[in-house]
Amino acid sequence: MWNLLLRYLKFAASSLAGTVTDTFVLWLLSSFVFEKGYMGEYIVSPAIAFQCAVAVNFTIAYFYVWKDRTRSVPDAGPAKFFRLYIAYNLSCSAVFLFRLGVLLLIERFTGWNVVFCSLSAMFFSGFLNFVIENLVIFRRKKG
């Protein structure tokens, strides 16, 4: 149980890097690139920012949070890294759709700026990401 708690704390701490990446890219895109269109500001900008954060978060997860599950196996290497990255990206993308729905609901009910809506939605989707990563993407190998 303590190992799981420690891993969750590592995950939560490392998620800050993804949150900073996501928020910064979202702010740049929504402020300077897609500043006057709902679709660009509330759909395209969050999607691009999310993909930047996925790359940062996966790298930290692979080399730090779940390094005992990725580095000590016989098939560890570039091929495994990219296989896991694709699976990680797909699972995060599914959770992103959930997060985007929450973001749009928050915006609809509050009228907040997209950055605040996104940060609020991340709160709800973060735990779901941890569960999927722990039980599916970086699951402990049997044997």
Side-chain angles (χ1 to χ4, degrees), residues 10 12-13 16 18-19 21 25 28 30 42 55 64 78 92 133 142-143:
K10 286 180 177 181
L16 288 175
T19 300
T21 301
V25 172
L28 282 175
S30 66
Y42 284 90
Y64 177 63
C92 287
E133 289 175 31
K142 294 179 170 116

Side-chain angles (χ1 to χ4, degrees), residues 58-64 66-67 70-71 77 81 84 138:
F58 176 76
T59 303
I60 294 170
Y62 187 89
F63 290 107
Y64 177 63
W66 280 279
K67 72 179 178 181
T70 60
R71 307 289 287 203
F81 180 88
L84 283 175
F138 299 106

Side-chain angles (χ1 to χ4, degrees), residues 1-114:
M1 182 66 168
W2 286 111
N3 288 339
L4 184 62
L5 179 60
L6 179 60
R7 192 176 307 274
Y8 183 76
L9 292 173
K10 286 180 177 181
F11 169 84
S14 69
S15 292
L16 288 175
T19 300
V20 168
T21 301
D22 188 282
T23 304
F24 181 70
V25 172
L26 178 61
W27 172 77
L28 282 175
L29 292 173
S30 66
S31 296
F32 301 109
V33 179
F34 301 109
E35 60 189 285
K36 295 297 177 204
Y38 184 86
M39 182 72 161
E41 188 175 4
Y42 284 90
I43 306 293
V44 177
S45 293
I48 294 170
F50 165 76
Q51 282 300 316
C52 293
V54 165
V56 168
N57 278 344
F58 176 76
T59 303
I60 294 170
Y62 187 89
F63 290 107
Y64 177 63
V65 179
W66 280 279
K67 72 179 178 181
D68 60 313
R69 296 183 187 179
T70 60
R71 307 289 287 203
S72 62
V73 294
D75 64 341
K80 179 174 179 121
F81 180 88
F82 288 110
R83 266 193 326 273
L84 283 175
Y85 179 74
I86 290 168
Y88 180 90
N89 198 322
L90 289 172
S91 75
C92 287
S93 294
V95 173
F96 173 75
L97 292 176
F98 168 78
R99 183 178 124 203
L100 185 59
V102 173
L103 181 152
L104 294 173
L105 282 173
I106 292 170
E107 188 279 329
R108 176 75 58 198
F109 288 108
T110 66
W112 292 348
N113 176 281
V114 66

